[in-house]
Amino acid sequence: MPILLVEDDRELAHGLSSSLAQSDYVTDVVFDGESAIAACKRTAYDLLVLDLGLPDMDGLEVLRRLRRVGMSAPVLILTARFDLDDRVSGLDAGGDDYLAKPFALPELEARIRALLRRGAPQESRIQFCDITFEPASKQASIHGRELSLTAAEASVLSLLLRRPGRVVSKSQFVDEIYDHADEKNPAMIEVFVSRLRRKLAEAESRTLIRALRGLGYRLEQAQHE
């Protein structure tokens, strides 16, 4: 689940991003309001962690703008403002939860988990190029014809579809597919991708899975010849 962290304190931002990565969260980091708005236009994030004290505009203004253009992802507000009125303003602007600085990392992660659980049932149909994917049933179709996918293949496709045009590493696939440490087998990712490619080709899909050596895989749309 991709998370956007908006925090102008670069040391804190990178520290939080590293900690969240250890808990298997995919986190993008930006340091100002305009970058946050631009990032949300490019990517459908599952959660925003938003600091209010940004250098170019107040975090509440960022939140209001994002809500006005239809962003529905839950927002966890981080701030050094302790007043009740400030907390109320943040929630009224479209925030879903509020965490005052300084905070303990376990509490931050607990609040993130709660917000992601709350938002999970609202995950809607994903479409890219000629693929339609239903997250709830993990069913994919090409031109209206259902693809017969194993659970692992569906998980690989789901992760690629949630990050179209962006590289997904093998470790991210492993964390998506395997629940227990003793089951994890990175070598199998190549097998799942190969099978998925074959099924997309058989369905005459114009969607490609491109391998980037040493980095991972990326979903792309084939260009007209």
Side-chain angles (χ1 to χ4, degrees):
M1 291 186 174
I3 295 174
L4 179 64
L5 173 60
V6 189
E7 169 60 64
D8 69 319
D9 184 328
R10 292 175 182 257
E11 183 176 355
L12 175 59
H14 290 307
L16 290 177
S17 177
S18 297
S19 297
L20 291 173
Q22 293 177 14
S23 298
D24 298 330
Y25 292 110
V26 178
T27 307
D28 292 339
V29 179
V30 295
F31 308 106
D32 58 69
E34 290 293 348
S35 298
I37 293 170
C40 289
K41 290 180 179 178
R42 294 190 304 268
T43 303
Y45 290 100
D46 291 298
L47 174 72
L48 268 67
V49 179
L50 175 65
D51 179 44
L52 295 187
L54 300 175
D56 56 344
M57 69 177 77
D58 189 87
L60 293 183
E61 178 60 23
V62 175
L63 181 52
R64 293 188 188 99
R65 291 192 189 184
L66 290 173
R67 291 304 192 207
R68 280 199 298 267
V69 297
M71 189 205 71
S72 59
V75 176
L76 173 59
I77 296 173
L78 301 181
T79 183
R81 304 173 190 174
F82 294 98
D83 291 342
L84 175 61
D85 289 344
D86 290 325
R87 294 198 297 271
V88 171
S89 296
L91 298 175
D92 285 345
D96 296 273
D97 199 358
Y98 204 103
L99 186 58
K101 298 177 180 179
F103 52 82
L105 184 60
E107 182 179 5
L108 172 66
E109 294 193 3
R111 289 174 183 259
I112 287 175
R113 289 193 298 271
L115 289 173
L116 289 174
R117 285 196 302 269
R118 188 187 307 172
Q122 301 174 0
E123 188 175 9
S124 59
R125 174 183 298 174
I126 303 172
Q127 290 186 301
F128 177 81
C129 190
D130 49 15
I131 297 179
T132 300
F133 185 81
E134 300 287 351
S137 61
K138 293 191 174 181
Q139 290 184 337
S141 60
I142 305 289
H143 307 301
R145 297 179 58 186
E146 184 176 329
L147 285 178
S148 177
L149 302 178
T150 66
E153 291 163 0
S155 294
V156 168
L157 180 59
S158 174
L159 191 53
L160 287 167
L161 286 168
R162 294 203 302 270
R163 298 176 68 83
R166 305 176 67 187
V167 178
V168 181
S169 67
K170 278 189 178 181
S171 63
Q172 289 171 324
F173 284 119
V174 166
D175 291 338
E176 178 83 2
I177 294 171
Y178 298 106
D179 293 326
H180 305 291
D182 56 353
E183 296 178 350
K184 295 184 177 183
N185 185 356
M188 287 301 297
I189 301 304
E190 294 181 19
V191 176
F192 299 144
V193 169
S194 177
R195 291 175 181 170
L196 186 55
R197 280 174 169 159
R198 175 175 53 80
K199 292 180 179 181
L200 291 175
E202 290 173 349
E204 299 182 347
S205 173
R206 294 186 60 251
T207 303
L208 303 176
I209 303 175
R210 185 177 301 279
L212 290 91
R213 185 178 299 275
L215 297 176
Y217 299 93
R218 182 173 64 204
L219 205 62
E220 298 180 358
Q221 180 173 336
Q223 301 297 315
H224 289 289
E225 295 182 357

